[in-house]
Amino acid sequence: MTAVTLTVNGTERSLDVEPRTLLVHALRDDLGLTGTNVGCDSSSCGACTVLVDGQSAKSCTVFAVQADGADITTIEGVADADGTLHPMQQAFHEHHALQCGYCTPGMVMAAISLVEEYPGLDEGGVRHGLEGNLCRCTGYQNIVDAVLAAAGSGGD
Amino acid sequence: MIPAAFDYEVAESADHAIALLAEHGDDAKLLAGGHSLIPMMRYRLATPSVLVDVGRLDDLRYIRTGNGTVSIGALTRHSELEHSAELAGACPMLASVAALVGDPAVRHRGTLGGTLAHSDPASDLPAAVLALGGTIVAQGPGGSREIAATDFFTGYFESVLAADEMITEVRVPAGGGGWNYQKFNRRAQDWAIVGAAVAGGGSGVSLVNMGSTPIRASGVEAAVAGGASAAEAAAVAADGLEPPDDLNADAEYRSHLARVLTERALNAAGVA
């Protein structure tokens, strides 16, 4: 077992993991943060997306030991302490950017990173930028609208 | 899908990484961004007994330009290539191709040295480095050596890198004429079914997923150098190649794509 210290949603957490433990399993099974979903388990679907040092990462493709010392943000950490939703969550809510909701935590985390990384996104940029996040319900239209709205680039 | 168990070592320097590789032998693997290796480990296509994590070697994350050459540290991530103003000025082709790899989350983790060492014939950046006439610097127990990209790739996921060597730097020429990269795929974030890279106004041409390695299209280069039109030069792009048959495309279709994409890339790079 290897000792790992992660700052998860602003709180330092220490845990002992096998080196082969994937970050997503450390978050879900060791830390109880089950908002991050496991989807395809093969780096394709993006359901497990979290922020590692502020940038989106597929937590099924990162060993927890690689994240030792890193700042991790999961879907549980983006709203304010009083429950006020993050602007991206609020935009998903207002645009009904989900149906079953399984992809939503990863989609929100990927979108938060995307608008930070690419200022001034247009619709094509949002669609290209969310290529790594699959939604099997919505056909993406409302998701794209929500991300554009949160990015301040329009979209209804 | 959980990888097989392994021992984990954190490298403090390139020297330390190489010493760890020497200590643990053939069954040790370097871990950089992990976005090729970890999926293979989850499918148990790779079961290294030791992983040497070089992902924390921040002194190998850099982009420097001088004397007509761009030198890039092996641990530089795809997203850093994509967003580098220095690279956009000195070698825009590499920045542009980096932006087409996978998706943003993949680009945040994947490294230039890692994708070259992985030597996947379907990957974008190895073919770009090949078309650019790049050089790969590898460090081993006896010191460093420079390997021309044209000599680097030897087969599916195989290169001339020894088991105790590590890529430390990648060099490509700065500037250097018209360029273009054509990536053809059918699914979001997928690898290219076929890709064509043109650098130096047609003096460097390479193909993605047309064989067991990224392939330098020397017949196309010779035709361009001899004054052929883009259409004439592209007509020989698939000559002598044995592209793979798979669910995406058979060999004949890949050969057709190679010709079409090469012509498009040559045209976009300024070859009439």
Side-chain angles (χ1 to χ4, degrees):
Chain A
M1 303 292 270
T2 302
V4 170
T5 302
L6 309 172
T7 301
V8 182
N9 300 327
T11 304
E12 193 169 292
R13 309 288 296 265
S14 295
L15 54 162
D16 288 317
V17 295
E18 273 193 90
R20 64 175 167 169
T21 304
L22 296 160
L23 179 59
V24 67
H25 295 129
L27 293 171
R28 290 178 56 87
D29 302 340
D30 293 302
L31 300 179
L33 294 168
T34 54
T36 303
N37 287 332
V38 177
C40 68
D41 220 4
S42 60
S43 324
S44 302
C45 80
C48 65
T49 304
V50 300
L51 304 185
V52 177
D53 292 329
Q55 293 186 314
S56 60
K58 294 179 178 184
S59 60
C60 78
T61 312
V62 179
F63 291 121
V65 288
Q66 288 178 284
D68 185 28
D71 264 313
I72 310 294
T73 308
T74 70
I75 192 67
E76 289 92 343
V78 297
D80 288 345
D82 67 0
T84 304
L85 294 180
H86 184 283
M88 190 63 72
Q89 290 175 303
Q90 186 65 34
F92 270 61
H93 175 71
E94 289 173 3
H95 292 266
H96 193 62
L98 65 151
Q99 286 184 29
C100 85
Y102 198 83
C103 73
T104 308
M107 200 66 84
V108 168
M109 301 313 290
I112 288 171
S113 179
L114 184 71
V115 301
E116 173 81 19
E117 183 173 356
Y118 299 93
L121 280 170
D122 60 11
E123 182 187 337
V126 171
R127 289 183 182 276
H128 179 63
L130 291 178
E131 268 191 20
N133 292 76
L134 304 184
C135 168
R136 299 292 75 163
C137 307
T138 69
Y140 300 99
Q141 187 58 52
N142 289 358
I143 294 171
V144 173
D145 288 345
V147 177
L148 284 170
S153 315
D156 304 310
Chain B
M1 292 179 289
I2 307 296
F6 57 88
D7 291 329
Y8 176 75
E9 302 268 13
V10 176
E12 309 289 345
S13 65
D15 288 344
H16 185 214
I18 291 155
L20 287 166
L21 288 177
E23 178 186 339
H24 293 291
D26 286 357
D27 214 19
K29 277 276 189 191
L30 295 179
L31 173 67
H35 273 53
S36 298
L37 181 58
I38 295 174
M40 292 183 83
M41 290 176 65
R42 280 190 321 215
Y43 286 115
R44 307 238 174 165
L45 297 171
T47 53
S49 60
V50 179
L51 283 190
V52 176
D53 188 352
V54 293
R56 296 167 192 276
L57 300 182
D58 287 342
D59 58 334
L60 292 179
R61 288 169 72 179
Y62 58 83
I63 298 168
R64 296 176 190 141
T65 309
N67 299 323
T69 299
V70 188
S71 303
I72 302 165
L75 273 299
T76 307
R77 297 175 180 189
H78 303 331
S79 58
E80 292 167 337
L81 300 177
E82 177 185 358
H83 293 297
S84 163
E86 182 160 3
L87 192 62
C91 187
M93 177 175 176
L94 206 56
S96 171
V97 173
L100 295 176
V101 176
D103 59 59
V106 170
R107 297 195 292 272
H108 292 152
R109 307 289 303 177
T111 66
L112 181 59
T115 190
L116 288 165
H118 187 58
S119 295
D120 184 342
S123 287
D124 305 297
L125 284 164
V129 171
L130 187 60
L132 285 160
T135 301
I136 292 150
V137 182
Q139 188 177 331
S144 283
R145 61 175 176 142
E146 297 178 10
I147 307 161
T150 46
D151 299 328
F152 185 77
F153 306 102
T154 56
Y156 282 109
F157 307 108
E158 287 184 357
S159 70
V160 298
L161 274 185
D164 57 359
E165 278 186 310
M166 168 182 174
I167 298 175
T168 52
E169 187 173 273
V170 179
R171 297 176 190 153
V172 293
W179 60 273
N180 188 253
Y181 181 60
Q182 296 284 322
K183 179 176 184 174
F184 185 89
N185 64 13
R186 275 284 172 255
R187 296 185 304 188
Q189 69 167 342
D190 209 351
W191 282 266
I193 294 173
V194 173
V198 171
S203 62
V205 182
S206 68
L207 296 168
V208 175
N209 221 354
M210 282 296 289
S212 62
T213 64
I215 287 174
R216 187 166 178 194
S218 45
V220 178
E221 295 172 1
V224 172
S229 69
E232 290 164 346
V236 304
D239 288 5
L241 301 184
E242 293 178 9
D245 278 310
D246 60 27
L247 289 173
N248 285 315
D250 64 17
E252 186 183 351
Y253 180 54
R254 278 204 162 84
S255 296
H256 170 75
L257 281 175
R259 291 187 288 268
V260 170
L261 298 173
T262 298
E263 183 174 349
R264 287 180 189 168
L266 285 170
N267 280 327
V271 180

